[in-house]
Each structure stands twice: as structure tokens, then as C-alpha cells.
Amino acid sequence: MFEDTALVIPVYNEATVIKGVIENALLTFDKIICVDDGSSDNSDAEISKTGAKLVQHAINLGQGASLQTGIDFAKQDPTTKYFVTFDADGQHRIEDVKEMVKYLRENPEVDIVLGSRFLGKTENMTKAKEILLKSAIAFSNKTSGVKLTDAHNGLRVFNRKVAQELRISMNDMAHASEIIHQIHEKKFSYTEYPVTIIYTDYSKAKGQSLMNSINIVFDLLIRKIAK
Amino acid sequence: MIIKILLISYFILFGIYLMFVANSANIRAWRKIAIFLLGAFAIFSILFPEITTNAADWLGVGRGADLLFYLTTVAVIYLGLHSYIRYRQIENRMVILVRKLALIEANQQLSIKEPTIGPKDSNTKNLPI
């Protein structure tokens, strides 16, 4: 049912959870591409135990670079029409991915569907995290020309056109804002879809800190000069 | 105050320079001229220490030491941004290499025919600043 869909999962030191996340996703999706971003734990061995395809960075490059590698690998398969970016820590629900892919199929004029926590429900989000995300969204809407309710959601589904044209050059976490910029620049038609994020203690511990959002803003500003 | 005009135009020119790094042969030539002038200025200011003071007076700076301090600040800022840009370029090249290797390895395991690595990345171009 989802032979035309490929999941791209960037993995960095997720050995404790990655196998479970993949096995759960494999119940619905056949094509799963895990990009092991030079993990120092045994994430690669855990991925190899599953039916997911393993693409491995020799050294750690960052999540943005992993996504681009995963997309490059996925688009080699001409039968893949839809590409999904999916977080490795188990915070996304497969149900939401299914709905988003269906939405793209039914609305071929839409190029990319972005998951939004604030249209959907969010389980166990801390107040500090909410304030941080809301300010990131305000900043993003101001600078990018793309109006969204959620700016840093790892769950996205897009078609082959986006997979071909998207070029993620921000290797670290700033890639989320970069993707939004490119939606504007390359005039992809986009829509948001309500998704539920499951904040477990594990994903909370790995989440972005306040200081990291300062890095993101700095990188976006310097990118305009150093391009 | 001439020093204010000079410092401000330095920052404006530096900004323009960053935006149009393309003409790199010219920039390399200008940098060599700048290094030569700086060297000459250094030697003269050692031989005739009063010239830094004279230069400072002429530029509207209080003391020769202040002038040197301003010039050092300008040089440090240049160095910092230059290194940052260079670092990003090297990092981008490394990303391209690692990605290519990752795709080749993954494709070998799957024994898919030709690895297609996407369009040529514009970041690969050599920018000798």
C-alpha cells in the first residue's frame, strides 16, 4: 500500500531505541532508509538487524547532511514517489505519516506537507519548550516569507519534485529553517498537517536546547553573507 | 574625523568584498599589496617611531598606539570572518566526500547499478580568498 513511499531516518547515537522505531515503521512502510551519521554507539548494528537500508556516514556531519544523503539515496529508486523525513527517537506517529502521504496522493498540486504540533495535539510538552518553539516560529515567519504554525518539526512528506530540487546545505540543526527558506525560494506549494508528537523522557533529553536555537539564528544570518 | 570615515568605509568595503568574492585573482593581488604596505609601514615605524604618532595626528586619532590598536582590531575581524568562511568551505567539501562514500557503500551492498549522487554541488567551487 505504501510501495511508493520511502522513509528517511537520520540516526545519530540512537542505539537504545532505533530498532524498535524501525520495526514499528516497517509494519506499514517497506522502504526505510536509515542514515547513520557516524554514531559512536552501535546504532549501525541495531539498524542492520532490521529490514531497513543502512547508509553510513564515515564521520559525523549533522542531521541536515544526513537528511540530504538519505534523500539522495531514496530518489535513486524510480518507483518512489513520496519521501518522508522521520525522527529516529520515536517522537512521530506512523498514523500521521500515513495520513500525510494519503493527503499528498489526493492533492497532487501540493508539493510538501509539513507536520505541525500546534495544529495537532502535543503530549508532555514542557512550558519552556513551547515558548522556545513559538518564538522560533515567529522568527521563521518573519524572515522566510512562509507562514507556518510550527517551524522545527522533523516530520515532512514531499513529492519527487521537492526531492530533486531540495538542497540542504546547513549540516546541523539549522536545516529546518533552510528547508522553509527553500520552500519559499523554489516556490513549492506547501501545507501543514496536524500531527501528534510523543515527548518521552528519551526524546526530551535529546531535544534542542535554548542555546542551540541561538546557533540556528546565527547560522541563518551568516549564511546570507557567506553564501 | 578621518579615522571614522576610514573605519566605516573599511566595513562597507569588507561587506562588498564578502558579497562578491568571485573575482578572486584581483582580491589575492590586493591582499599582497596590503601585506607589502603593512610590512613597509612596520619597518618605517620601527626606524622612525614618531611616524605612527604623526600618522595618528593626521588621521585624527589621539596617539600612535591607538592607531595601531584600531588597525589590529580591523585585522582581527578580517581574520575571524575569513577563517569562518574558509572553514565552511572545507566543511562543505568534506560533506560531499563523505556523502559520496556513503552512497557508494550503500549501493554496493544493494548491488544497485549506478549510484546517482544528485546535481553537482555549487559549494564545490574553489574560492581562494
Side-chain angles (χ1 to χ4, degrees), chain A residues 93 121-125 196-200:
Chain A
R93 295 191 324 155
K121 279 196 309 208
T122 300
E123 290 172 12
N124 302 328
M125 189 192 280
T196 304
I197 300 287
I198 309 149
Y199 284 104
T200 58

Side-chain angles (χ1 to χ4, degrees), chain B residues 1-7 58-62 70:
Chain B
M1 291 260 278
I2 300 170
I3 186 70
K4 286 185 180 167
I5 299 164
L6 281 180
L7 284 172
W58 186 74
L59 290 166
V61 184
Y70 289 148

Side-chain angles (χ1 to χ4, degrees), chain B residues 24-56:
Chain B
S24 49
N26 268 351
I27 283 162
R28 271 183 298 175
W30 277 113
R31 201 169 49 183
K32 279 169 191 146
I33 293 168
I35 290 167
F36 176 77
L37 288 178
L38 195 73
F41 180 69
I43 291 167
F44 274 103
S45 60
I46 292 161
L47 291 174
F48 313 102
E50 66 280 3
I51 63 166
T52 54
T53 312
N54 293 341

Side-chain angles (χ1 to χ4, degrees), chain A residues 53-59 61 64-65 68-69 72-73 75-76 167 169-171 218-219 222 225-226, chain B residues 18 81 84-85 88 91-92 94-95 98-99 101-103 105-107 109-110 114-117 119 121 123:
Chain A
K53 293 173 187 84
L54 173 64
V55 184
Q56 206 164 14
H57 283 166
I59 50 174
L61 296 179
Q68 185 64 53
T69 302
D72 284 354
F73 184 83
K75 70 188 180 194
Q76 294 178 124
R167 286 267 103 200
S169 64
M170 304 304 281
N171 298 326
F218 176 78
D219 276 344
I222 205 86
I225 323 171
Chain B
L18 284 173
L81 272 163
Y84 182 79
I85 293 171
R88 288 299 309 249
E91 193 187 50
N92 280 336
M94 192 171 68
V95 167
V98 172
R99 178 168 298 143
L101 181 70
L103 290 176
E105 265 181 5
N107 283 328
Q109 275 159 16
L110 292 169
E114 282 272 280
T116 46
I117 279 128
D121 207 304
N123 295 323

